[in-house]
């Protein structure tokens, strides 16, 4: 005899699967809908970046062809030939459709000033940027999380006031100004402080290999990393402190203490995980900056990365190179935000329901 299932039976079956550790169908489908929505939003954002990168840099004053031939006698016919060679004589709408079609296949065009594929130029400069900003992001994220947690948990104390005051000061300092100040004090030398570090570049260029080369690069890395860490950790500290202060009044922390848990256990297992969502966003945005680099800091310290390359391209303007770098920078940020959005429901199941 056939049996019919009732809604109550379905609920009990769902509870049984949850007790056995199996994922609930509703929760899984809810996460998939959340992920699909975020992925669709990321694709729309990426298309908006393509549109913006094409039209934004075409309002920059200056003629790229004349800038490339600056100081070289060039006839009107030669200028027209160059414009035709680079496709600048085509209608704007045709330039845009060609640009989008090539970008979707990974072809970012050919640099005007370097006469080389934009993708190759970016790939060549990427390791230097990853080294500089990667080291800085890891250091200031860990430092900001640690100090932000301690400041919030002991808010109002001397340590909290000192950390918050220093963070607010450093957050308001322009990175390029701080970099110039560090060069004056620790590279050129000032008063009793001798010049200890190089003024710029990534290596001395004296042909070191092996461990000597690693130490040489590390020596050049100190000041730009300190500049990025000093500005970056302040932002992470303040966001983490604010988030944890919002959680400290929760009833669940009072319940945890009533169960006899030690104060550090309450902070580590209960308060900090619930305060991480805004800070996770900040960390993933900082990871996006690993690819984008820091244009101002790389320029100040003559660091041979993507930031310095972008500054060179912007000064011409080298439209394909500027557009390609803009797409890479914005694409890295979109990807990191997407990963953060996908991670949220794993940290807090209430997100994405």
């Amino acid at each position: 005899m056939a049996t019919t299932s009732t809604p109550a039976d379905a609920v009990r079956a769902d509870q049984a699967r949850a007790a056995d550790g199996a994922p609930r169908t509703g929760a899984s489908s809810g996460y998939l809908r959340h992920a699909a929505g975020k992925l669709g939003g990321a694709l729309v954002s990426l298309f908006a970046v393509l549109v913006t990168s094409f039209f934004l840099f075409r309002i920059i004053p200056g003629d790229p062809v004349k800038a490339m031939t600056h100081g070289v006698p060039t006839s009107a016919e030669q200028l027209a030939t160059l414009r035709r060679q680079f496709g600048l004589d085509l209608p704007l709408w045709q330039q845009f459709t060609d640009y989008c079609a090539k970008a979707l296949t990974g072809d970012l065009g050919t640099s005007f000033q370097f006469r080389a594929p934009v993708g190759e130029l970016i790939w060549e400069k990427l390791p230097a940027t990853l080294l500089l900003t990667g080291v800085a992001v890891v250091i200031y994220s860990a430092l900001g999380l640690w100090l932000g947690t301690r400041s919030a948990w002991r808010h109002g104390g001397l340590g909290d006031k000192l950390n918050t005051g220093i963070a607010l000061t450093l957050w308001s300092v322009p990175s390029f100004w701080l970099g110039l100040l560090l060069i004056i004090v620790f590279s050129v030398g000032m008063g009793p402080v001798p010049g200890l570090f190089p003024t710029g570049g990534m290596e001395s260029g004296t042909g070191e290999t092996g461990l000597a080369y690693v130490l040489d690069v590390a020596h050049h890395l100190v000041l730009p990393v300190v500049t990025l860490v000093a500005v970056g950790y302040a932002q992470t500290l303040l966001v983490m402190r604010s988030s944890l202060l919002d959680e400290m009044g929760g009833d669940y922390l009072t319940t945890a203490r009533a169960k006899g848990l030690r104060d550090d256990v309450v902070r580590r297992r209960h308060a900090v995980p619930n305060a991480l969502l805004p800070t996770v966003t900040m960390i993933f945005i900082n990871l996006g900056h690993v690819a984008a680099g820091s244009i101002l800091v790389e320029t100040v310290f003559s660091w041979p990365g993507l930031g310095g390359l972008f500054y060179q391209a912007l000064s011409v303007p080298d439209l394909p190179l500027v557009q390609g770098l803009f797409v890479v920078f914005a694409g890295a940020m979109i990807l990191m935000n997407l990963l953060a959005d996908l991670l949220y429901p794993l940290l807090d199941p209430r997100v994405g329901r």
Side-chain angles (χ1 to χ4, degrees), residues 4-29:
T4 59
S5 60
T6 65
D9 294 330
V11 171
R12 283 193 291 270
D14 191 34
Q15 291 174 342
R17 286 194 299 270
D20 292 336
R24 295 186 179 183
T25 305
S28 300
S29 60

Side-chain angles (χ1 to χ4, degrees), residues 261-283:
L261 295 180
R262 298 193 309 273
D263 195 57
D264 62 330
V265 176
V266 174
R267 181 185 71 243
R268 187 175 64 255
R269 294 185 181 178
H270 298 278
V272 171
N274 284 284
L276 276 178
L277 287 185
T279 313
V280 165
T281 302
M282 184 68 61
I283 291 174

Side-chain angles (χ1 to χ4, degrees), residues 239 276-288 333 336-337 340-341 343-344 347:
V239 171
L276 276 178
L277 287 185
T279 313
V280 165
T281 302
M282 184 68 61
I283 291 174
F284 273 90
I285 289 175
N286 292 337
L287 289 176
M333 298 298 297
M336 289 300 108
N337 276 284
D341 288 333
L343 183 62
Y344 283 163
L347 296 176

Side-chain angles (χ1 to χ4, degrees), residues 32-214:
L32 290 177
R33 286 194 301 270
H34 172 79
K38 296 301 181 182
L39 181 59
L43 293 176
V44 172
S45 298
L46 189 57
F47 177 74
V49 167
L50 288 176
V51 176
T52 303
S53 65
F54 179 83
F55 290 103
L56 177 63
F57 298 109
R58 276 166 172 73
I59 65 176
I60 300 175
D63 185 341
V65 173
K66 289 184 178 180
M68 285 187 294
T69 58
H70 181 69
V72 178
T74 310
S75 65
E77 290 77 10
Q78 290 173 320
L79 291 176
T81 301
L82 286 174
R83 289 193 178 91
R84 186 167 54 255
Q85 178 183 346
F86 291 117
L88 297 175
D89 62 327
L90 299 175
L92 192 61
W93 65 268
Q94 189 172 349
Q95 293 184 44
F96 175 67
T97 54
D98 291 346
Y99 165 70
C100 288
K102 291 180 180 179
L104 292 176
T105 62
D107 183 3
L108 298 176
T110 301
S111 168
F112 290 168
Q113 62 182 130
F114 296 105
R115 306 295 179 91
V118 170
E120 291 183 6
L121 293 172
I122 293 176
W123 187 253
E124 179 184 348
K125 298 292 185 180
L126 184 60
T129 290
L130 293 180
L131 176 64
L132 173 60
T133 54
V135 170
V137 166
V138 169
I139 293 175
Y140 72 62
S141 294
L143 188 63
L145 284 172
W146 178 59
L147 291 177
T149 300
R150 292 180 61 87
S151 293
W153 204 250
R154 297 177 174 82
H155 65 281
L158 178 61
D160 175 38
K161 293 178 180 178
L162 185 62
N163 283 329
T164 304
I166 294 175
L168 287 171
T169 301
L170 290 175
W171 197 4
S172 62
V173 171
S175 58
F176 71 91
W177 180 85
L178 181 60
L180 290 173
L181 186 62
L182 291 177
I183 289 175
I184 292 172
V185 176
F186 295 105
S187 293
V188 179
M190 188 175 68
V193 181
L196 300 174
F197 300 99
T199 57
M202 184 177 172
E203 56 186 65
S204 300
T206 53
E208 294 94 343
T209 58
L211 181 60
Y213 175 76
V214 173

